[in-house]
Amino acid sequence: MHKTGATRHKKFLKAEKSKTKLKGKKDPELPKGTNVTKTNFKVKKIVIKEQLKKHVQSEALSTRKLNVKELLSRLNHFNATSRTDALDGLKEIINSNPEILEQSLGPVIQGVSSLILNVEKAVRHSALKVIHLVLSNVITEKIEPFFDIMSTYLRSAMTHIDSRIQEDSLLFLDILLLCAPEKAAQDFHKIIPNFLDMISKLRTDAKPGRTLTVNLNSQITSVKWRVKVLNRLKDFLQKFAEYNNIFKLEKSNQTKIQTFNKDGPNYYPLFNPIHISPCVVSCFSSKTSENVLQIDEIEKFREYVETLMPLLFETWLEASPNLKSDRNMETVVNEDAALLMKHLLEVITTIWDIVKYYNEKAPSSKIKNLFCQKYKSLFTQNICNSFPYVTNVRSKQAKNADNTEDVITDPKLVTENLQICYLFIVLNPHINIKHEGKTITSVLHYIEKMFGKSDENINRRMLKILHTTFSKEVTGWTKNTSVMDTLFQKIISFYLQNEGTDVFKQQIFSLLCQIALNDKLSHLHSNVLYEQWLKNLPNILLGDSLSVQTVDILHKFAVTKNNLFNSVLKPKLLSIIGNLPKIMIKDCTSNSDYHKLLSLLYWIKPWDTESLNLLENQLMQSQYRGDHGKYIFDTLRLKSGGIL
């Protein structure tokens, strides 16, 4: 018979009862008073000897009682707030005790400079403030051993993968250019290639060269980013030019006057120093020779320029791709494009100044001619074809304006347009009127239109253009009267009509005298207005005051163009002698300036009786100040061969 479930259950219970049951032992109860948890334990103090050291009373401490060494150790803390607090502590100590940098300059620069690459913005900006404070309190000679550290971190930041660190690297560069421009200029060839990486990249295919990059992940547009980079590039190039005294050399070449020393020997060069300087020719191909290093430096700069210039033109085309080439109308660009054009033109102008410097330094390199030949057509095609430019300036509140960046304030863009005129003239010394007639007409028309404005900045740029055009070397612009005749007449008319400020008129007078003294520009001397100006030239000696520059020009005119000088001076000699004791030299620095003015009497020949008698009466009546009367007497005595 089949067993049911109830039967199986009964058997299971019976089996369970039959099992042997084990009796468990009960734990004995603890004696009374011992049922308590013991909390007694023994410890030993952990002693770190460094913590026992007390700060010296004279030691510089932050508000949190930390010295420089302790703060530097906290710069490596994993917490960004701790690093920022440590940087703030360093600022406190340096502000209150700048002499602490005498002992800890190296560790401070090493520790703080590395934070330029930190991912936290607050840490980077605090580090920049500390670096600025350090460099402001230390002379350049003491920075020199540690500048390589800052330069290395700068270059690493400029090429960093994080665009925010790249942007802050420009602030780091600003600090170095402000506080240590000479050291930054010495690292020119190390730092300058990194600017290329900030706006471009190498082509991925087999084509050589670079292509512009687009900042898709950045909060600022590509145009604004390039404006920032070009602005710093312009500043860096200008510091390099100042370091090599490029701008001073240009001024010294324009007005180089050697004063006669009556107390010692005088030396006057007969030849250009460049043409008589020794040429070092090594017997071996030594890479350490100065001449080879000079050529290598120029070659490096040339390679950099060949990479940069096409990128500049591509940048401009990308910012303003739909420009019309109608020369009868002004081309309107947006404000970002106008700001980009401003910095782009300044970069090209500074590059041109450096190219001229290298060309004078090593004429065999022919870098100036190569630069003109290679980029004059690109400049004309990309920039001059839509010349002139204007923009619409948006009104910006001061609180939103970025103090580190320039803004466009002139909607007419006069400064930028004059810069284009200057670059077109220097890049095209041998102009072709047939092929470039429209561009030449447009440029000259704009110069004539802007000439004589009351703005000082415009006048300064205008004079730079005119001095370049009417230079000592005759170019295609001045080889005949067909190109510059209209502008030349306007310059003379402006001076004869006595318009403009006194400073600008003095500068125009200097320009006209430069043209008069240049025999290579003799074809311009036949102009009717020029002859009229020449007749009125002595009138400048009938006024109450002169400048030192005017005296120098008149003296040079009397010496080099004596016949012409006498022909225009003799008709008014009597009036000039009568006014001579009253003339004051405004910016006179020494008595020799008055002596140079009075020495004009030596170059007058022959004297008429009436003028000579008037001068004699003035000397007898002691109308001249100081030793001026004695100087005139000695001058005339020298002229007469000691008869007087």
Side-chain angles (χ1 to χ4, degrees), residues 305-330:
V305 169
E306 287 182 354
T307 307
L308 175 63
M309 290 297 290
L311 291 176
L312 295 179
F313 293 128
E314 289 180 22
T315 302
W316 174 244
L317 288 177
E318 186 177 305
S320 302
N322 298 321
L323 297 180
K324 299 179 181 179
S325 59
D326 188 359
R327 299 184 188 279
N328 297 324
M329 297 181 62
E330 296 172 332

Side-chain angles (χ1 to χ4, degrees), residues 541-606:
L541 293 173
L542 299 177
D544 296 331
S545 62
L546 295 174
S547 66
V548 173
Q549 185 184 17
T550 304
V551 174
D552 292 336
I553 293 172
L554 289 174
H555 185 267
K556 188 175 181 180
F557 196 86
V559 175
T560 58
K561 297 282 186 179
N562 187 255
N563 293 333
L564 183 60
F565 173 77
N566 279 281
S567 65
V568 298
L569 192 70
K570 290 295 289 294
K572 300 180 181 180
L573 180 58
L574 188 63
S575 301
I576 292 173
I577 296 298
N579 187 63
L580 196 58
K582 305 174 185 177
I583 295 178
M584 299 290 294
I585 300 179
K586 293 179 291 187
D587 49 351
C588 175
T589 56
S590 64
N591 210 25
S592 60
D593 296 326
Y594 281 99
H595 290 172
K596 182 174 288 188
L597 173 64
L598 298 175
S599 66
L600 295 176
L601 301 176
Y602 178 85
W603 300 101
I604 298 173
K605 56 182 182 181

Side-chain angles (χ1 to χ4, degrees), residues 67-102:
N67 59 17
V68 174
K69 187 176 180 180
E70 293 167 342
L71 291 171
L72 290 175
S73 65
R74 296 194 177 194
L75 294 180
N76 299 321
H77 199 277
F78 67 91
N79 191 344
T81 305
S82 299
R83 292 195 293 268
T84 306
D85 292 341
L87 290 169
D88 292 338
L90 285 175
K91 281 194 295 184
E92 293 176 7
I93 293 178
I94 296 172
N95 278 322
S96 58
N97 301 280
E99 63 276 1
I100 198 68
L101 295 174
E102 298 287 340

Side-chain angles (χ1 to χ4, degrees), residues 214-275:
V214 181
N215 298 334
L216 297 177
N217 298 326
S218 178
Q219 296 180 353
I220 60 176
T221 62
S222 297
V223 174
K224 290 184 178 180
W225 169 245
R226 290 166 191 162
V227 167
K228 287 188 174 185
V229 175
L230 291 179
N231 186 19
R232 277 24 179 252
L233 176 59
K234 176 257 302 180
D235 293 339
F236 189 48
L237 289 172
Q238 288 180 349
K239 293 298 181 183
F240 177 73
E242 292 174 4
Y243 173 72
N244 290 282
N245 297 322
I246 293 176
F247 302 128
K248 291 182 180 179
L249 287 174
E250 289 182 355
K251 292 181 180 179
S252 63
N253 290 335
Q254 291 177 1
T255 57
K256 190 173 183 180
I257 299 172
Q258 188 166 352
T259 306
F260 179 79
N261 182 16
K262 63 180 181 180
D263 298 327
N266 292 269
Y267 301 97
Y268 301 95
L270 299 177
F271 305 99
N272 191 330
I274 295 177
H275 299 152

Side-chain angles (χ1 to χ4, degrees), residues 29-244:
E29 295 182 359
L30 294 173
K32 191 175 182 180
T34 59
N35 191 14
V36 180
T37 303
K38 294 182 179 181
T39 59
N40 299 329
F41 54 89
K42 295 181 179 180
V43 296
K44 285 187 177 182
K45 293 182 180 180
I46 300 175
V47 179
I48 301 177
K49 295 182 179 180
E50 295 293 331
Q51 293 180 349
L52 298 178
K53 292 183 179 180
K54 295 183 179 180
H55 294 298
V56 184
Q57 292 183 355
S58 60
E59 188 176 8
L61 302 175
S62 65
T63 53
R64 297 192 176 185
K65 306 301 179 184
L66 298 174
N67 59 17
V68 174
K69 187 176 180 180
E70 293 167 342
L71 291 171
L72 290 175
S73 65
R74 296 194 177 194
L75 294 180
N76 299 321
H77 199 277
F78 67 91
N79 191 344
T81 305
S82 299
R83 292 195 293 268
T84 306
D85 292 341
L87 290 169
D88 292 338
L90 285 175
K91 281 194 295 184
E92 293 176 7
I93 293 178
I94 296 172
N95 278 322
S96 58
N97 301 280
E99 63 276 1
I100 198 68
L101 295 174
E102 298 287 340
Q103 305 170 356
S104 307
L105 182 60
V108 168
I109 290 179
Q110 175 69 48
V112 178
S113 298
S114 62
L115 296 180
I116 302 300
L117 304 178
N118 196 276
V119 294
E120 297 293 336
K121 179 179 179 180
V123 176
R124 293 196 304 271
H125 285 196
S126 296
L128 290 173
K129 292 178 182 178
V130 175
I131 291 176
H132 186 204
L133 187 62
V134 170
L135 298 182
S136 301
N137 287 278
V138 180
I139 60 177
T140 308
E141 288 75 11
K142 294 183 179 179
I143 298 173
E144 186 171 0
F146 313 106
F147 189 82
D148 284 341
I149 298 173
M150 293 185 287
S151 178
T152 302
Y153 281 112
L154 169 66
R155 286 177 275 146
S156 300
M158 292 176 72
T159 56
H160 202 276
I161 193 172
D162 193 337
S163 60
R164 297 170 299 175
I165 296 178
Q166 283 191 14
E167 190 171 353
D168 287 340
S169 71
L170 298 178
L171 301 177
F172 190 16
L173 179 63
D174 289 340
I175 294 173
L176 295 182
L177 293 179
L178 178 65
C179 301
E182 294 182 359
K183 300 304 301 177
Q186 289 176 4
D187 279 1
F188 177 78
H189 293 288
K190 293 181 181 179
I191 298 175
I192 202 73
N194 297 282
F195 283 100
L196 296 175
D197 295 329
M198 300 183 81
I199 60 173
S200 66
K201 63 180 179 180
L202 293 171
R203 297 183 186 274
T204 55
D205 52 8
K207 295 181 180 179
R210 286 177 168 265
T211 181
L212 293 174
T213 54
V214 181
N215 298 334
L216 297 177
N217 298 326
S218 178
Q219 296 180 353
I220 60 176
T221 62
S222 297
V223 174
K224 290 184 178 180
W225 169 245
R226 290 166 191 162
V227 167
K228 287 188 174 185
V229 175
L230 291 179
N231 186 19
R232 277 24 179 252
L233 176 59
K234 176 257 302 180
D235 293 339
F236 189 48
L237 289 172
Q238 288 180 349
K239 293 298 181 183
F240 177 73
E242 292 174 4
Y243 173 72
N244 290 282

Side-chain angles (χ1 to χ4, degrees), residues 608-620:
D608 60 276
T609 306
E610 189 176 2
S611 300
L612 193 59
N613 291 336
L614 176 59
L615 182 61
E616 184 180 355
N617 291 333
Q618 290 176 343
L619 294 174
M620 295 295 293

